[in-house]
Amino acid sequence: MKKYVLLLWIVGILLGIAPLQAQTSPFIPSASDTRCRQWVDSVFSKLSLQDKVGQLIVATIPAKADGKNKKQIRELVKKYKVGGLLFSEGTAEEQAILTNLAQKSAKTPLMITFDGEWGLAMRLKDAPNYPRNAALGCIQDNTLIEEYGREVARQFRELGVHVNFAPDADVNTNPLNPVIHVRSFGEDPKKVAEKVIAYSNGLESGGVLSVCKHFPGHGDTDSDSHKELPSLYYNRARLDSIELYPFKEMVRAGLGGVMVGHLQVPVLEPDGVTASSLSKKVVTDLLKEELGFKGLIFTDALDMKGVSEVPQVTTKAFLAGNDMLLVQFNTKNAVAELINAIHSGAISKDELDARCRRVLTYKYMLGLRTPQPKLQVSGMSFRINTDEAQDLAAKLRRSAVTVLNNYFGILPLAPVDGGIALLSVGEKDQDAAFVEAVKKQADVSCFYLPWNADDATREDVKRKLATYRRVIISITGSNYVSDRDVAFLANLDLQAPLVYTFFTSYRTLQPLTPALAKSSAVVLAHSNEVDLQQYVADVLFAKAPAHGKISMSIGKLFPAGTGCTIEPGMKSGAAIPEDYGMKSYILQSVDAVAQKGLAAGAYPGCRILVLKDGQTVYDKGFGTHSAKDTTAVRSTDMFDLSSLTTTTATLLAVMKLYDEGKLKLDDKASKYLPLLRAGNKKNISIRDLLLHESGLQPYMRVYLDIIDPNSVQGPYSQSWVDKWHHTQVSEHSYFCSDFKFKKGLTSEKQSSVYTLQMADGLWLNKSFKNTLLQSIAKSELDSKRYVYSDLGFVLLQQIVESIVKLPMDLYLAKEFYAPMGLQRTMFLPLRKFTKAEIMPTAENDYLRRQDLCGYVHDETASCMGGLSGNAGLFSTAEEVARIYQMLLNGGIWNGKRYLSEATCRLFTTEKSVISRRGLGFDKPDVSIILRSPCSASAPESVYGHSGFTGTCAWVDPTSKTVYVFLSNALNPNVWNTKLGDMKIRTDIQELIFKSLK
């Protein structure tokens, strides 16, 4: 059976199945361990009252093996019978000497403790220097954190240390915390808990007791318990979800030690005075009983100002339920106080006995059941500072490197005309290794600027940097950054993208957020070791990976969890906005606007593309096809362009025919369309139709003519739901749901009669197209004023087809789309593509009574069989952008001319005298910005169009930019107005213009 279990365990390891954490609890006492109980009984029976009291005391002493400390060691051990020692500053060899002396002098073996949150180097010289927890919190591989714990345990055992007062389990949610900050694994309770457990498992698997601190949580305080008593004014629900979360998880994981901090937590100790370390409600009621902690409990140092002035502090700490009491300076008084409390009855002998037995139990589990072998002092530093220990430190440093942003793929850096500059800011030569490593990667010009440099020096550096195309700014030095330094970097308005590297902790970034907000990339190294500086240089050029994610938020700029991946060999971005006169950090803000729309439900997915000087500088998709189809938006996905069809299709055909002299703007539409000659529309000109000044109605509900009115119960639509009206078509409108189509007008199958496909299984009689056109011809006509009309572009399509003798889609494909290489720009896309390649437009369309994907949403266009002058075109953002770039180029694309420059100029510049409209194109309303379809910064020369489904395309000939936004904003609800209400399209356009300034 044992062999079978072992085999299963081995298989699990090979398959990557980690054993449950709670199964391994090397430092939780077991009542069934008879050997342990026998040893404890044997030792306990020989202890006097003072011996028992002493076992609860951990005394602090410097690790300096001078005569004074040796004398103090003997006194602590022989006179006060302390149960443990905590060594502070000194060297490993001297601590070993004092440990040997202490263990030799002790009747009961001593528990040697150490406050080593980042290993021995926290207190001793010449020990391996490991990253602080804030840096380790950026590491994504927790097996590396556990390996680190095991290595620290090896070093501790080498030095005779049994207990590490680590890890810090505080969740650092307060950026102004004066004492925790880099000591915490981060601000995310779950991730902090994961790191705490991984590190502690490493320690305890190596035979060292982990002690998680500072219970119940010191992360959101603004004062230092070394100097005063910090307070946590939160309710219990908040404490449970943040501060207490890592401690709950470490208890569940079966870890062995907790240190209680000196904190005032009114919700846990209502008197508002008693520190948590002295509170029975906190230590016993909460930690032991409610959370079920079965391990060893230590106080934080009782000499700290947070509690040191409390009368009878040692007694109160004992009565609260702590097992071992950490005393820094006055062991004599602490021991005397406890003995007096026992004699007075304040502390019962039974409770003292129980607590003493508990300490002895842990000494047994820590291997102190036998006399401790004498530590070998000679070579101690060598055995601690092994090559493996140093390699692990380097590996941890490298794994913690975090790239906070990498806008437009500025990293990896690549050689560029105009050169790269490297500005070192901070302490002179502190980044020398980094500078030399960068020089090996590229031709770099180097500059230096000390903190608090004078204005003349700053301006000289700024003037020199202005000539370079890429600028690296290396930051070294202390956490303090003056306001003048912040202002200089924040106002360093260069045309080059800025790449910052920080060889400091994350705290240096916090005051510099005004400057970092204008960066293209920020790399946080956390420290400045030589090997790390060389590694960061490799990261900048993608010669080394970076996978870190920041553990602490940097203001609102970089939330916790932010991090970009750099992989060796990856390529730089295809286009850097600065190379085209744009600011990356502003253009990158488009992401936030798009994500805001997603979060608000303005659309399930969108695609945004920006061209500058014909080059793609922004091309991103956001969201998914729909709530039902979670396929991410791709560059090849086709969207229903809706009214953007007018300028992306119909207008192109009109311009081509005008270019060829086959029609004139002042021609009467009736010249080409006989159905208009007999009525009130015979004098409408093509110019009138293009300017939307024909007097035609905005739209006509011709689709009602295919519905049998006798099948409709009540009105077609109404403002409330009933058994006949439950298909919602607007926020307060419901369409009849059970209507039938007129007999003979529709069919479920295509035939020679039913040729106009409206949806899956719905074909319309081809005669209805003529019915629709006749309805337009017979419709009422208003005065010639500006009213946007779909009907005008329906007629323009008919004019085009009457001239070219081809369906308009075939004509456009022949003249524009095919020769331009536009393979996904077409009407009726389901003839060539599957629905999986097309963004769903709407759900449960009221007319077609099904979800729409690949079928035009517009009802008029649908009744035309999906091919209409006002709507019906489908395309991708990239291909739409190509069409408008061709127009911006004066009719040329990829060296081929499609339209004359004069025709392009005429149609894109002419503007109505009574409205903002151009010849087919929409334009900004610069007189009344709130009425404009464009952003406030859009000049009058801008032209383009928008579409009801959530689309737009705009060209600015002045800046030579093309902006395309495509979305399926009508999915799932056609009455969704959030896209317009939130001004998403115009806000993005505004960012584009701001990036150009």
Side-chain angles (χ1 to χ4, degrees), residues 493-519:
D493 189 19
L494 305 176
Q495 190 53 50
L498 303 180
V499 176
Y500 282 86
T501 57
F502 281 82
F503 297 102
T504 68
S505 83
Y506 78 95
R507 303 185 78 203
T508 307
L509 280 70
Q510 292 174 329
L512 284 171
T513 51
L516 301 184
K518 298 180 178 181
S519 68

Side-chain angles (χ1 to χ4, degrees), residues 509-550:
L509 280 70
Q510 292 174 329
L512 284 171
T513 51
L516 301 184
K518 298 180 178 181
S519 68
S520 287
V522 175
V523 182
L524 175 59
H526 303 283
S527 57
N528 70 340
E529 290 84 355
V530 169
D531 67 294
L532 183 59
Q533 292 189 35
Q534 295 166 340
Y535 186 82
V536 169
D538 285 341
V539 168
L540 293 188
F541 293 89
K543 300 294 179 61
H547 298 144
K549 295 187 184 299
I550 190 71

Side-chain angles (χ1 to χ4, degrees), residues 523-643:
V523 182
L524 175 59
H526 303 283
S527 57
N528 70 340
E529 290 84 355
V530 169
D531 67 294
L532 183 59
Q533 292 189 35
Q534 295 166 340
Y535 186 82
V536 169
D538 285 341
V539 168
L540 293 188
F541 293 89
K543 300 294 179 61
H547 298 144
K549 295 187 184 299
I550 190 71
S551 59
M552 312 279 191
S553 293
I554 309 299
K556 294 182 179 179
L557 187 61
F558 301 121
T562 299
C564 303
T565 298
I566 300 294
E567 295 291 357
M570 67 184 285
K571 302 299 181 183
S572 305
I576 304 301
E578 279 79 3
D579 293 339
Y580 298 89
M582 305 178 82
K583 297 289 188 183
S584 291
Y585 71 90
I586 297 178
L587 196 57
Q588 181 67 26
S589 300
V590 170
D591 286 19
V593 178
Q595 294 286 6
K596 183 179 178 182
L598 272 180
Y603 39 73
C606 69
R607 191 86 197 176
I608 307 166
L609 189 143
V610 180
L611 302 180
K612 174 70 168 74
D613 299 332
Q615 176 67 48
T616 302
V617 292
Y618 188 102
D619 182 13
K620 293 184 182 181
F622 298 88
T624 63
H625 279 209
S626 69
K628 297 177 180 178
D629 180 358
T630 57
T631 303
V633 176
R634 301 161 296 198
S635 61
T636 56
D637 285 331
M638 303 167 72
F639 291 77
D640 180 347
L641 300 187
S642 187
S643 300

Side-chain angles (χ1 to χ4, degrees), residues 625-934:
H625 279 209
S626 69
K628 297 177 180 178
D629 180 358
T630 57
T631 303
V633 176
R634 301 161 296 198
S635 61
T636 56
D637 285 331
M638 303 167 72
F639 291 77
D640 180 347
L641 300 187
S642 187
S643 300
L644 190 55
T645 298
T646 60
T647 53
T648 316
T650 312
L651 186 60
L652 289 182
V654 171
M655 291 171 71
K656 184 69 173 177
L657 295 175
Y658 174 87
D659 212 24
E660 295 174 345
K662 294 180 179 178
L663 62 73
K664 297 183 176 66
L665 296 180
D666 293 323
D667 284 348
K668 306 301 182 187
S670 57
K671 174 182 177 181
Y672 306 98
L673 301 179
L675 60 90
L676 300 181
R677 292 172 188 168
N680 55 4
K681 301 174 182 62
K682 62 182 178 180
N683 292 322
I684 294 176
S685 69
I686 291 175
R687 186 189 301 273
D688 292 336
L689 296 175
L690 292 171
L691 293 174
H692 296 277
E693 296 173 5
S694 65
L696 290 169
Q697 297 175 42
Y699 60 90
M700 293 176 62
R701 294 180 177 174
V702 292
Y703 56 86
L704 295 179
D705 291 338
I706 66 176
I707 295 175
D708 180 359
N710 294 322
S711 68
V712 177
Q713 298 291 330
Y716 285 107
S717 63
Q718 61 187 35
S719 59
W720 67 93
V721 177
D722 61 23
K723 63 184 294 186
W724 301 287
H725 300 78
H726 47 80
T727 302
Q728 192 169 3
V729 293
S730 69
E731 189 173 0
H732 303 293
S733 183
Y734 300 85
F735 202 81
C736 55
S737 309
D738 300 320
F739 65 83
K740 293 181 172 56
F741 293 114
K742 289 179 180 178
K743 189 174 181 181
L745 278 184
T746 63
S747 171
E748 294 181 357
K749 297 180 180 179
Q750 181 184 17
S751 70
S752 59
V753 175
Y754 299 99
T755 60
L756 306 176
Q757 188 171 17
M758 300 178 69
D760 289 340
L762 180 58
W763 295 81
L764 187 60
N765 193 306
K766 62 183 179 182
S767 65
F768 191 78
K769 180 176 178 180
N770 185 60
T771 301
L772 187 153
L773 295 174
Q774 289 294 336
S775 296
I776 296 174
K778 296 174 183 178
S779 65
E780 293 183 5
L781 193 67
D782 202 346
S783 60
K784 288 196 174 185
R785 58 189 177 88
Y786 167 60
V787 176
Y788 184 88
S789 174
D790 290 337
L791 308 182
F793 271 78
V794 173
L795 294 178
L796 284 169
Q797 174 206 354
Q798 305 309 306
I799 292 171
V800 168
E801 292 181 352
S802 71
I803 295 172
V804 301
K805 309 303 181 186
L806 281 173
M808 190 174 71
D809 60 334
L810 297 182
Y811 177 69
L812 288 167
K814 178 172 74 76
E815 297 293 336
F816 293 96
Y817 303 156
M820 289 180 70
L822 309 183
Q823 299 181 4
R824 291 174 176 261
T825 301
M826 63 185 63
F827 294 87
L828 309 171
L830 291 174
R831 290 180 176 179
K832 185 175 180 181
F833 297 98
T834 66
K835 290 185 179 182
E837 299 170 276
I838 304 170
M839 296 291 288
T841 306
E843 292 186 7
N844 193 25
D845 177 70
Y846 69 95
L847 178 64
R848 285 155 282 188
R849 294 180 285 201
Q850 60 182 263
D851 297 347
L852 296 181
C853 180
Y855 297 103
V856 62
H857 172 265
D858 182 86
E859 294 87 359
T860 300
S862 177
C863 290
M864 296 281 286
L867 172 57
S868 182
N870 70 306
L873 191 68
F874 286 73
S875 188
T876 67
E878 179 185 357
E879 294 194 358
V880 170
R882 288 190 198 177
I883 291 171
Y884 288 86
Q885 184 65 46
M886 179 270 291
L887 295 171
L888 179 58
N889 293 344
I892 295 176
W893 174 256
N894 274 353
K896 176 179 173 62
R897 180 167 291 283
Y898 294 87
L899 295 167
S900 71
E901 186 174 358
T903 295
C904 290
R905 187 184 310 112
L906 172 67
F907 278 79
T908 60
T909 60
E910 184 165 323
K911 181 174 174 290
S912 170
V913 296
I914 64 172
S915 77
R916 69 171 192 257
R917 302 292 304 204
L919 289 172
F921 292 107
D922 202 356
K923 287 178 168 291
D925 191 330
V926 295
S927 60
I928 305 177
I929 299 300
L930 291 177
R931 199 169 60 187
S932 178
C934 297

Side-chain angles (χ1 to χ4, degrees), residues 50 130 173 196 227 669 677 690 718 961:
Q50 183 163 334
Y130 292 105
T173 54
V196 163
K227 302 175 181 179
R677 292 172 188 168
L690 292 171
Q718 61 187 35
T961 55

